[in-house]
Amino acid sequence: MLKIENLHASIGEKEILKGINLTVNPGEVHAIMGPNGSGKSTLASVLAGREDYEVTSGSVTYRDMDLLELSPEERAREGVFLAFQYPIEIPGVTTINFLKTAINEIRKHRGEEALDAVSFLKRMKEKSKLVEIDQSLLSRSLNEGFSGGEKKRNEIFQMAMLEPRLAILDETDSGLDIDALRIVANGVNLLKTPNNATIVVTHYQRLLDYIVPDFVHVLWNGKIIKSGTKELALELEEKGYDWVKAEAALV
Amino acid sequence: MKTNPQLEDLKLSLLAQIQSVSKEKSTIFLEEADQLHFPNSKNEEWKYSSFSVSKDTNYTLRTGQGKAMASIHAEAFEGCHLLVFLDGAFTESLSSTEVLKGLTIKKINHLETFTSAYENNIFNQLNGSTAHLSGLSIQVNEKAIIEKPIVIFHCNSYTESAAWVQPRIQVQVGERAEVTFAEIWQSDGAQPVVTNAVQEIDVKKSAIVKWFSLEKGNKDSSLINQTRVETAEKAVFQHLVVSLGEGFIRNNLEIKINSTEADAHMYGLSIGSAKLHVDHHTFINHKAVNTTSNQLYKSIFSGKATGVFNGKILVDQVAQKTNAYQSSKNILLSTDAKVYAKPQLEIFADDVKCSHGATIGQLDEEPIFYLRSRGLDEATAKQMLVQAFASEILMKVENKSLHALFEAEIMAEMERLVSK
Ligand SMILES: Nc1ncnc2c1ncn2[C@@H]1O[C@H](COP(=O)(O)OP(=O)(O)O)[C@@H](O)[C@H]1O
């Protein structure tokens, strides 16, 4: 589904991603871990199409397309979804309001008919239950006055509504208490199918108690320096990152 | 003061025309006007707004007597009472006055005017000199609750030459009365028109008054409004103005909060995609303890549109526990669009909460990216954000009929904005 090869990306003069290689297949959950500042959010942003970053070399192939050639909205319509690390507030734009437009843009792109109001509301009801988000929040200005947990749940709610093929969760766990974490993780797990894939970017292992990854990668200094299975996450939790860095330095 | 010869000629011509229609009634105003000049950019209050008129054009003073027009679509004001100013004068035959219970409406015959911070101002004196010919006085009775908004529709029928019109409205709202007014300004652009208007609104104790204004200009129109308001104890006054289209618009809004526990709210929304020039000069004087004023002026400009916001807040020494907020937020979608924003705070009391701020910039990139990442294309995302920006003001137009009217005009202007 996704194949990242030797990806380099910079912001201004500064190179942040220094040769990322990663392959994600349908049905898989990948966790990307690493110390602060290693480039995790940058990777997520580059995949979603944020224009602040310049890709200097390498390629990203997504479902046989050159992902880097697509605009952010084309990526979304092809099924890429980014749950933001810091979901912004947009005064005057309600979640319902832009999601309705978004869903229908995506459906149009796929040659499907627009969702009528009744089906939209039905889907909304169903999905808001899934992530335990109060429906009244959805007709308020996006994230305005929302708590940290509500903002993150709103991201997962949008993901549930848009049914992406590839979901990228950027530090969705940061700032969440254990209840909110469980709700968010539960939402992600319920949305898992053999046809979609998830990349979970996280700083801590605790989210991975709830969302069990098939693969764990350690990103450091713009490169993936170690990959493994869920046991690697536990080992990192116990021993920190220094041993991985030391190992990488030897190679 | 050096004056523009064309404007000096215009002044002389207007004075002569006024003299010939109004006889001795306007002597004081005329004498004062004679001593004054039209402002130029050297005048601090007119630094960014130069008042000018079309070249080689004679302006005919109109004080009514226009022919009734087919173009008054009363159905646009369904759910409202309608008062019509045709060619600058209140025209009873086009208005629906019979159903107005709780109000007295009459022509102005004796003018007692509020003092103004812009006293020394030729527009003021010129307008005063014809108030007895074109003005309207409205008295809202004590405790009267006027359910339907009162639309004051300004239109022009004179096509023989450029016109100069001077509507004047005096309103007194009695104790505990509630009323909503909406001035709708329309100029069809057949000939240049200068509208030199004055509104004086006296809000008595515990009365609630909402005053809306929908200003739609064209490239040959100039609209100068001087709105003076005084409010009594526990009164609530809200002023909301939407300025669209093209041309020159200058709004001087002065509010004196004379007594305790009174609130004043002022809102503005300007949208222009061509040569629109909108200048809001607000002046709020807190003269008693425990009063609040709140100002929010927004603009969205592209093309060569220009905005000026000059907001002055004066808190008298006695006016302890004043809350005064002021904010100007502007989105510029083109490099030729401009906004000048200037707060002026003069605070003589020590226990005061006061804030002011101005933002001027393009649409933020972050929300655009957010919406695009959900599948909206860039144009749709921008349109949604611009609408959201405007909706904060539109939301304050709560009356259904007025909301529909304002919304339709704002949306139409917005379409011109993004299609450019
Ligand atoms: N907009 C930016 N301008 C300059 N440097 C940036 C910017 N964004 C990120 N960086 C730098 O890139 C590096 C990687 O950041 P980031 O991708 O946020 O890491 P992580 O998500 O792993 O904490 C950091 O050193 C950070 O300071």
Side-chain angles (χ1 to χ4, degrees):
Chain A
M1 168 179 285
L2 182 75
K3 191 164 190 183
I4 305 175
E5 287 171 294
N6 191 30
L7 181 68
H8 289 252
S10 323
I11 186 152
E13 293 290 288
K14 189 175 173 189
E15 183 166 65
I16 298 172
L17 301 184
K18 301 173 181 171
I20 302 269
N21 292 292
L22 179 68
T23 302
V24 177
N25 296 307
E28 293 176 353
V29 175
H30 289 245
I32 297 188
M33 303 184 69
N36 262 333
S38 54
K40 303 184 298 291
S41 285
T42 303
L43 177 61
S45 294
V46 168
L47 293 178
R50 194 187 279 277
E51 280 150 3
D52 307 347
Y53 300 94
E54 193 194 346
V55 173
T56 49
S57 64
S59 67
V60 181
T61 312
Y62 169 73
R63 301 179 71 238
D64 298 329
M65 287 173 285
D66 179 354
L67 187 75
L68 301 174
E69 281 297 303
L70 303 181
S71 66
E73 58 269 35
E74 285 165 334
R75 297 179 198 200
R77 292 168 194 176
E78 289 293 344
V80 178
F81 180 89
L82 172 66
F84 284 73
Q85 181 176 8
Y86 303 109
I88 53 165
E89 297 180 6
I90 312 186
V93 175
T94 67
T95 306
I96 296 187
N97 184 229
F98 78 80
L99 263 188
K100 206 184 250 170
T101 314
I103 285 182
N104 285 331
E105 289 290 349
I106 293 171
R107 293 177 69 94
K108 193 165 87 190
H109 182 77
R110 295 186 184 160
E112 295 166 7
E113 265 183 36
L115 210 58
D116 61 61
V118 176
S119 323
F120 178 82
L121 286 175
K122 197 170 145 234
R123 191 194 291 196
M124 206 176 82
K125 210 166 168 180
E126 189 184 306
K127 305 292 184 183
S128 59
K129 218 172 268 165
L130 195 79
V131 297
E132 299 177 36
I133 191 167
D134 189 344
Q135 280 206 57
S136 69
L137 288 180
L138 306 173
S139 40
R140 282 191 7 207
S141 286
L142 177 67
N143 291 334
E144 218 178 27
F146 287 25
S147 70
E150 285 168 341
K151 286 181 185 177
K152 295 290 172 93
R153 268 185 277 165
N154 188 305
E155 293 291 296
I156 305 303
F157 167 73
Q158 291 176 41
M159 171 177 148
M161 290 293 283
L162 297 174
E163 296 175 340
R165 295 186 177 112
L166 174 66
I168 305 157
L169 311 184
D170 189 4
E171 307 237 5
T172 297
D173 50 336
S174 68
L176 292 187
D177 61 30
I178 208 77
D179 276 342
L181 193 70
R182 184 188 47 76
I183 291 167
V184 163
N186 188 38
V188 173
N189 289 333
L190 287 171
L191 294 168
K192 198 177 156 180
T193 74
N195 302 318
N196 61 24
T198 311
I199 298 175
V200 184
V201 172
T202 180
H203 191 65
Y204 303 104
Q205 118 80 23
R206 59 174 198 157
L207 179 64
L208 305 180
D209 288 341
Y210 299 95
I211 303 175
V212 180
D214 300 299
F215 300 97
V216 174
H217 310 276
V218 178
L219 186 62
W220 184 61
N221 196 17
K223 278 186 179 166
I224 289 177
I225 54 169
K226 193 174 181 70
S227 296
T229 53
K230 64 176 191 287
E231 285 74 25
L232 176 56
L234 293 169
E235 208 175 343
L236 289 168
E237 173 80 356
E238 203 173 302
K239 301 201 281 186
Y241 288 106
D242 286 347
W243 65 277
V244 195
K245 290 184 203 167
E247 227 179 68
L250 293 178
V251 185
Chain B
M1 185 163 64
K2 248 191 134 174
T3 46
N4 170 332
Q6 192 195 359
L7 288 176
E8 203 55 22
D9 288 349
L10 172 67
K11 181 184 114 180
L12 295 175
S13 150
L14 287 171
L15 291 177
Q17 292 184 63
I18 292 168
Q19 193 128 45
S20 79
V21 292
S22 79
K23 309 293 176 318
E24 72 285 354
K25 276 216 170 185
S26 32
T27 323
I28 308 163
F29 290 106
L30 283 181
E31 277 170 6
E32 283 176 3
D34 195 25
Q35 304 299 314
L36 298 166
H37 303 281
F38 283 112
N40 61 26
S41 59
K42 294 217 177 58
N43 181 324
E44 194 55 33
E45 300 291 350
W46 291 81
K47 198 168 167 187
Y48 301 109
S49 298
S50 70
F51 172 71
S52 62
V53 287
S54 306
K55 278 203 179 66
D56 306 318
T57 306
N58 292 319
Y59 282 80
T60 304
L61 174 79
R62 301 294 299 168
T63 52
Q65 297 98 44
K67 48 186 180 308
M69 298 192 304
S71 67
I72 300 175
H73 297 296
E75 67 271 16
F77 309 121
E78 216 184 285
C80 307
H81 303 295
L82 180 63
L83 304 177
V84 175
F85 273 73
L86 180 60
D87 294 337
F90 173 60
T91 305
E92 196 167 356
S93 59
L94 298 174
S95 305
S96 58
T97 51
E98 74 286 351
V99 282
L100 287 172
K101 258 196 226 131
L103 316 178
T104 315
I105 291 181
K106 55 179 200 284
K107 296 208 161 189
I108 293 175
N109 38 35
H110 177 68
L111 195 60
E112 273 180 65
T113 141
F114 288 171
T115 55
S116 161
Y118 306 97
E119 201 73 49
N120 224 4
N121 156 345
I122 189 169
F123 295 105
N124 201 21
Q125 307 310 329
L126 286 174
N127 180 289
S129 70
T130 58
H132 61 291
L133 297 171
S134 47
L136 175 67
S137 156
I138 302 174
Q139 170 104 34
V140 181
N141 298 345
E142 263 180 36
K143 295 186 206 159
I145 311 282
I146 314 293
E147 305 264 352
K148 291 185 188 176
I150 300 171
V151 166
I152 302 170
F153 183 62
H154 298 270
C155 54
N156 299 296
S157 70
Y158 190 70
T159 52
E160 274 143 64
S161 76
W164 182 284
V165 297
Q166 315 202 112
R168 187 179 191 107
I169 298 162
Q170 268 185 328
V171 178
Q172 196 187 75
V173 182
E175 288 189 9
R176 283 192 273 165
E178 290 178 26
V179 62
T180 297
F181 290 94
E183 280 188 280
I184 314 288
W185 305 90
Q186 179 172 297
S187 48
D188 55 15
Q191 286 279 2
V193 179
V194 178
T195 305
N196 172 27
V198 172
Q199 300 85 5
E200 291 189 314
I201 305 157
D202 187 4
V203 186
K204 299 293 190 201
K205 190 176 162 184
S206 301
I208 301 175
V209 178
K210 293 184 180 169
W211 195 281
F212 298 96
S213 182
L214 179 60
E215 305 174 330
K216 248 171 76 181
N218 60 62
K219 69 183 195 333
D220 287 323
S221 69
S222 299
L223 172 59
I224 295 125
N225 271 308
Q226 306 197 64
T227 310
R228 298 192 277 271
V229 184
E230 298 202 10
T231 69
E233 196 184 326
K234 294 191 178 127
V236 179
F237 179 75
Q238 177 189 295
H239 189 272
L240 187 152
V241 53
V242 172
S243 315
L244 310 169
E246 294 180 61
F248 180 89
I249 296 173
R250 165 73 178 234
N251 295 314
N252 286 355
L253 172 61
E254 297 175 48
I255 301 181
K256 284 200 187 110
I257 305 183
N258 286 331
S259 192
T260 58
E261 292 174 62
D263 293 351
H265 305 274
M266 289 142 273
Y267 304 104
L269 174 66
S270 310
I271 305 173
S273 50
K275 281 190 177 169
L276 174 69
H277 182 100
V278 184
D279 181 338
H280 292 294
H281 264 62
T282 64
F283 176 66
I284 311 307
N285 189 355
H286 290 264
K287 300 175 79 70
V289 289
N290 239 324
T291 60
T292 298
S293 70
N294 174 31
Q295 305 182 55
L296 175 61
Y297 286 82
K298 289 188 152 189
S299 64
I300 312 163
F301 289 144
S302 68
K304 287 188 168 162
T306 310
V308 180
F309 176 73
N310 188 107
K312 187 167 167 179
I313 299 173
L314 169 61
V315 180
D316 289 359
Q317 200 172 353
V318 294
Q320 300 295 355
K321 301 215 170 355
T322 287
N323 293 310
Y325 308 107
Q326 182 189 85
S327 164
S328 158
K329 297 183 181 173
N330 307 280
I331 294 177
L332 303 180
L333 299 172
S334 72
T335 48
D336 284 338
K338 286 186 182 58
V339 165
Y340 304 92
K342 179 178 161 199
Q344 275 180 282
L345 308 182
E346 292 179 20
I347 298 173
F348 296 101
D350 42 34
D351 184 9
V352 166
K353 269 191 220 145
C354 197
S355 71
H356 65 88
T359 57
I360 302 171
Q362 298 163 314
L363 280 175
D364 286 344
E365 285 300 325
E366 272 303 299
I368 296 174
F369 177 68
Y370 190 97
L371 295 174
R372 290 178 75 191
S373 80
R374 297 301 182 245
L376 275 61
D377 60 44
E378 197 172 346
T380 308
K382 283 184 174 172
Q383 196 164 356
M384 203 171 261
L385 293 170
V386 167
Q387 275 176 17
F389 182 80
S391 71
E392 193 182 359
I393 303 294
L394 182 60
M395 241 167 54
K396 311 279 180 196
V397 189
E398 284 164 351
N399 173 273
K400 254 193 184 163
S401 308
L402 292 181
H403 188 96
L405 188 69
F406 277 64
E407 184 174 39
E409 295 289 354
I410 289 170
M411 290 303 164
E413 194 65 50
M414 210 101 78
E415 236 148 68
R416 283 189 281 277
L417 193 73
V418 287
S419 68
K420 291 239 163 170

